[in-house]
Structure formats: C-alpha cells, structure tokens
C-alpha cells in the first residue's frame, strides 16, 4: 500500500485574528498550527474546516463526492431552526408512531430489515421517549442550535456569505386543537433558554404568511419562532468552501475513505483510494457513515441513517408562496421559501442505507405543498431528492474527543445539521486548538452514552455558558 503525507501548499498559512481575545489567551502551543484532516465535506465537515483554518491550522478535507455538500447537505428542508430543535423521542411518540404508520400520507416509514443496528437504535430511541429525557435532550439541542445561529450571523457579517437567506422565522401550524394545546413543554424550555416565541391564532399567523389566507380554515393556530432563519444549505456549503480555500484549506474530491489505522491511543493514518493520509489530528464528519468507520477502532456510537425526502418547486406566483418556513405538524413536513424556489422536506424512513427514490413519498410532499400553497409553485417541475440523516436515539449530535487522542467526532446531527453547522465548526475548532468552547459541552460528547448506548441524562445547563457571542 502507498503511504504519503498530506500534500499542502507551502506556508506560511493565513492566520486570522481569533474571534475572541480569550482564544489567543487559552490556545496552547502544542495545539497551534497543526495539520488537521477532515473526513467529509458536507455542511458539518466544511464548517469545521473553515473554523480550523481561521484558528491557524493547516487543513485538508477529503470526500468521495466530486464537490462539497453533495449528500445530505444537498437539498434539505432549508430550515435554520434553533427554536424548533427537539428530539424525535418524546412522551407519547410510540403511540403517535403507530398512528403515523396508519396515515395515508405518513410522516414515518419503516421497511423492516435483518439489521440489528436498526432495531437496537429503535430500542434506544424508545428508552428516550419519556418526559425527563425529552427535557434534557431538547435543552442540549437548543443550547448548541442557538449558539450556532449566533455564529452564523457573525459569519455573514464577517465574510458576507450569500445563500438565499431569510430571517423571518419559522411557523409551526396545527390542524387540531389537541396539537396546539400540547405545546406547553416545548414553550417552557424555549422560555427557560430565552428563545422568543409567539402562540398565534389564525389572524396572527396570516400576518406573517398571508398566502395561507385561502386555506386558513384548515389550521387552528400556530407557534412562531421569530429568531429562526432559512437558507440554501448547498449554496452555503459551497461558498463556505470557497472561503476556506482562501484561508489555505485543501479539498480533495473523488477520494474514497476506506478505513482508519491506529496504534495504541492514536490514529496513525487514514486509508483512501489515493493512498494513506496522515495528519496531527483527524476529524470524522461522515454523517451516517461515521458509525461503520469507527467500529474497527472499537468505538461504537448509536448513529443510524434516517432517510428524508424533498422536492424543490419553482415558484410561479410569489404572492401565493411562503414567506419563510412553515412546518405542518400533522405530516411533519417543512415548506420553505428559497429565493425563487419552494423547498418541501419531510418523512422519516428507516430502511438502512437505501437511497432509492420512493414515488409515494413524493406524493406526500406534493400533497402538503399544494394543500398549503395551491397557487405558489409548479409541482410538475419539481426536483425530487433523498438523503440519509445521521440520527442519534436522543437527537443530540456527538461532538469532540474520543479515547483516541488525535481523533475527534462531528456527527449525529440528524435533521439539524444545517441549523447546528456553524456552531459545531466553531466548537470543534476551539476544542482541537486547546481552547474552552463558549458553550458547555455537557451532553454533547460520547461521554453521555453508557453501556449499551443508552442516554445518561443530566441536568440541563445554560444555553450560553461563556462569553456572549459578538455580532
């Protein structure tokens, strides 16, 4: 087998002034200007690479695709929704799951496989379907998501990145009074973390989404999260990759990652279709494929692929299209305005790593968008897509250190990779650089999993555990 070092352009590399003065104070000499290898160029891997380069590290990214953001980051729902961050596992979900499976336009699809990983993951998720676990897990997710939204705002101010962004909030719509009456536990956690929200009647939500006027009788009310945003994740990933290249980051595409070698407590190389790559530190950001890459290392994480679908619909009448993101609570489908397009995303399908496009799932997405915005777009010209969300049973991603001292993880973001990307990148850059992250890492690392992979809940911590994020 051919062994080679990562080929990097000659230094010196650009060293950007750290975003906070404490970064320079806390950085350790041994962790400065390292050679870091990032595996994966989705929105998570690209964000990690960018912030590592801003910290002065020499960064190389490898990915099997021909460019950045071409798998799960390509056509997601377009939501940047800190306030809507919540685990799928919650009180009452097992009963709801049965009801969902019986719906014509079901938000949940299970295709049974002889896959122990699927059924183990399902059992772990069921273990989190209680009030205590839900509160702990949602608090952890909101902490990272809120921080990430602040990081994204700062990033826009710093480099002027454009990605069809809008900052007009998320509107969750309820078709029944029972749904609306059941939002109490969510709004309590939002209030605890200082996340603004509005509970709206029909007149209230029409002020923000006037195109719903013709179908307003279908909904009894809504929950609006004005701090949420929208944007094209694929555009963002590619433009952030351009910004990372300007900082010296090298991207190598069309490279298959075959395995990771280690000796003792250290990674010694990453085997690829172009030889073995070595670096001072490696970050694994391979989404749903992270689990199988880690098993030979004796590292076991409960990340399983949950397939999601989307259609991207060209707008035919802007006045009849959504202004921002609408979440149909009954069908668990998000409808988002992205420039001159409507992105419609939803469905949770357990079917392993299968990437076949299911026509029935397209019909569900078409039904929801035409039910809400019948004159907004032309569904006959929609682009149909699917991707594999890397889900943990408790909903929270897995970030940071492993027992291998030069391997860090950044995976398990589920449906919230876009929402949590900027904050994840900054947290990983802080950790690898020897700095203390600006938010508490409690519950965000592998340490929360005990024997068998069950979540070990702890008391929620404040959403911002350190310095305020500048704008």
């Amino acid at each position: 087998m051919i062994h080679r070092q990562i080929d990097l352009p000659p230094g010196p590399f650009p060293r950007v002034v750290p975003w906070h003065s404490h970064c320079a104070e806390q950085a350790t000499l041994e962790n400065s200007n390292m050679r870091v290898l990032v595996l994966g160029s989705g929105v998570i891997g690209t964000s990690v690479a960018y912030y590592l380069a801003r910290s002065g590290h020499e960064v190389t990214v490898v990915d099997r695709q021909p460019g950045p953001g071409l798998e799960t980051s390509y056509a997601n729902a377009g939501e940047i929704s800190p306030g809507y961050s919540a685990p799928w596992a919650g009180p009452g979900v097992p009963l709801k799951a049965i009801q969902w499976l019986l719906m014509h336009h079901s938000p949940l699809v299970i295709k049974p496989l002889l896959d122990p990983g699927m059924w183990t993951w399902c059992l772990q998720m069921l273990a989190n379907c209680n009030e205590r676990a839900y509160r702990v897990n949602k608090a952890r997710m909101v902490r990272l998501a809120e921080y990430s939204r602040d990081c994204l705002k700062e990033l826009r101010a710093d480099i002027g990145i454009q990605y069809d962004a809008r900052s007009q909030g998320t509107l969750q719509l309820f078709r029944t009074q029972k749904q609306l009456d059941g939002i109490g536990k969510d709004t309590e956690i939002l209030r605890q973390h200082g996340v603004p929200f509005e509970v709206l009647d029909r007149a209230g939500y029409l002020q923000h989404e006037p195109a719903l006027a013709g179908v307003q009788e279908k909904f009894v009310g809504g929950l609006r999260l004005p701090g949420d945003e929208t944007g094209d994740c694929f555009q963002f990933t590619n433009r952030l990759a351009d910004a990372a290249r300007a900082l010296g980051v090298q991207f190598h595409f069309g490279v298959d990652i075959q395995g990771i070698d280690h000796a003792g407590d250290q990674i010694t190389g990453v085997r690829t279709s172009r030889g073995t790559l070595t670096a001072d530190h490696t970050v694994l950001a391979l989404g749903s494929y992270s689990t199988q890459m880690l098993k030979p290392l004796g590292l076991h994480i409960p990340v399983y692929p949950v397939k999601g679908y989307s259609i991207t619909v060209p707008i035919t009448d802007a006045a009849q299209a959504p202004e921002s993101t609408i979440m149909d609570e009954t069908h668990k489908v998000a409808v988002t305005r992205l420039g001159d397009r409507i992105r419609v995303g939803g469905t949770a399908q357990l079917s392993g790593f299968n990437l076949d496009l299911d026509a029935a799932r397209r019909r569900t997405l078409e039904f929801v968008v035409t039910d809400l915005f019948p004159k907004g777009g032309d569904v006959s010209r929609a682009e149909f897509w699917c991707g594999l969300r890397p889900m943990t049973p408790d909903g929270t991603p897995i970030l940071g250190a492993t027992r291998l001292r030069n391997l860090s993880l950044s995976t398990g973001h589920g449906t919230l990779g876009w929402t949590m990307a900027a904050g994840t990148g900054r947290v990983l850059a802080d950790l690898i650089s020897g700095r203390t992250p600006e938010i508490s890492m409690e519950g965000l690392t592998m340490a929360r999993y005990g024997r068998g992979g069950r979540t070990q809940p702890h008391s929620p911590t404040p959403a911002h555990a350190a310095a305020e994020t500048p704008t």
Side-chain angles (χ1 to χ4, degrees), residues 252-273:
H252 296 286
F253 295 114
V255 179
D256 290 329
I257 301 166
Q258 299 167 344
I260 301 174
D261 296 325
H262 76 290
D265 65 349
Q266 184 168 308
I267 297 297
T268 58
V270 177
R271 287 175 278 113
T272 78
S273 56

Side-chain angles (χ1 to χ4, degrees), residues 370-388:
T370 54
D371 195 45
L372 271 64
F373 302 101
K375 300 178 181 178
D378 183 356
V379 296
S380 69
R381 294 191 288 135
E383 177 187 358
F384 189 30
W385 172 88
C386 70
L388 302 177

